[in-house]
Amino acid sequence: MPVAPRPESPLVANWTELDPQLEPAWGTNAHIGVRYSHGAVSHAGKMVISHGYFYNHKKHTPAWQSDTWAFDPANASWARLHDAWTDGDTLVPSPRYSFSTLVYKDSILMFGGDDGGHQQSPMNYIFGAYFDELWIFDILQKAWRLQPKTAGKPWPPKRALHGATLVNGRMHVYGGLGLSDHWAMDLETFDWLKVRATSKSLASAGIDIHYKNDAASGPGTRHSL
């Protein structure tokens, strides 16, 4: 005897506007500027946001962001944790978007990303201007540092729009534009391990042609994870 479908339960969810969009769109000393494809993490009850991009239509110019802010939902207020990058600054990650971020202990780890080649061509987007840098932001000290590579040890290639997550003390990174590889980094030693190699891929279709008929091999090429 067929089983009658159960009635769907109504979804109980409500959005609450904690902080309205303010002018000017590029921000002030008291509130963050508009951006997208930025990094956002949760730490100690606050939302921490860094970097990103938006096109400033009023000024008819791209606006690459590189400052770091914390939002406290308890009082709906913003606080700037770190100023934006300035030309020649080597102590702050340069403006970028489409990177990955996650929190480990009291630090934010930023890996990869894309800056559209804006430092070389400010008004013309350059495709494939990706990073393989790992930046670490100490939330308590409010300071950035670049994790150096170790000569002779493996390191993931440049990428953007990839996915990253924390599993058992390792940062796992997967995919990105045109990529289907999987890497894991020990967050105590900063040593990388290649978990799964990439293969020849059909990025335009979002399908890894080597693995598309082998579900056990992995999800294939994909981005915006």
Side-chain angles (χ1 to χ4, degrees):
M1 182 176 180
V3 178
R6 292 181 298 177
E8 293 187 7
S9 300
L11 179 64
V12 180
N14 295 295
W15 284 97
T16 301
E17 185 180 61
L18 297 180
D19 185 44
Q21 182 164 319
L22 302 174
E23 294 293 339
W26 47 91
T28 68
N29 288 331
H31 77 86
I32 192 172
V34 173
R35 65 194 68 199
Y36 64 82
S37 293
H38 50 277
V41 298
S42 174
H43 178 266
K46 297 179 182 179
M47 177 175 65
V48 182
I49 286 179
S50 194
H51 289 64
Y53 170 86
F54 89 105
Y55 188 82
N56 188 332
H57 289 277
K58 290 185 177 180
K59 293 186 175 182
H60 304 289
T61 182
W64 290 91
Q65 310 285 21
S66 57
D67 49 355
T68 304
W69 292 75
F71 179 74
D72 188 344
N75 53 26
S77 65
W78 288 98
R80 191 198 304 267
L81 301 184
H82 204 287
D83 291 334
W85 173 89
T86 56
D87 191 19
D89 191 349
T90 60
L91 300 178
V92 180
S94 59
R96 65 195 66 189
Y97 69 171
S98 301
F99 47 87
S100 61
T101 48
L102 57 79
V103 170
Y104 180 67
K105 297 182 179 179
D106 292 313
S107 294
I108 298 173
L109 285 81
M110 170 193 287
F111 180 71
D114 179 1
D115 75 353
H118 72 274
Q119 294 187 55
Q120 293 75 36
S121 179
M123 300 304 295
N124 295 297
Y125 190 88
I126 298 176
F127 289 93
Y130 306 149
F131 292 93
D132 63 357
E133 296 174 341
L134 173 63
W135 284 88
I136 301 171
F137 183 69
D138 187 317
I139 301 172
L140 303 183
Q141 298 298 321
K142 301 179 182 179
W144 285 100
R145 68 178 178 88
L146 177 64
Q147 177 62 33
K149 300 177 184 179
T150 302
K153 289 192 174 183
W155 192 277
K158 298 178 180 181
R159 67 193 63 220
L161 290 171
H162 50 284
T165 191
L166 177 64
V167 181
N168 296 329
R170 294 179 182 270
M171 179 174 73
H172 287 255
V173 172
Y174 184 86
L177 282 164
L179 294 173
S180 61
D181 53 347
H182 176 188
W183 291 77
M185 185 189 70
D186 187 307
L187 293 175
E188 297 298 330
T189 65
F190 298 103
D191 289 333
W192 285 96
L193 169 70
K194 184 187 287 186
V195 180
R196 176 179 179 271
T198 193
S199 68
K200 185 179 179 181
S201 60
L202 187 61
S204 60
I207 298 172
D208 187 316
I209 59 176
H210 183 72
Y211 293 107
K212 66 179 181 180
N213 294 320
D214 185 358
S217 295
T221 301
R222 58 193 63 200
H223 59 271
S224 298
L225 303 175

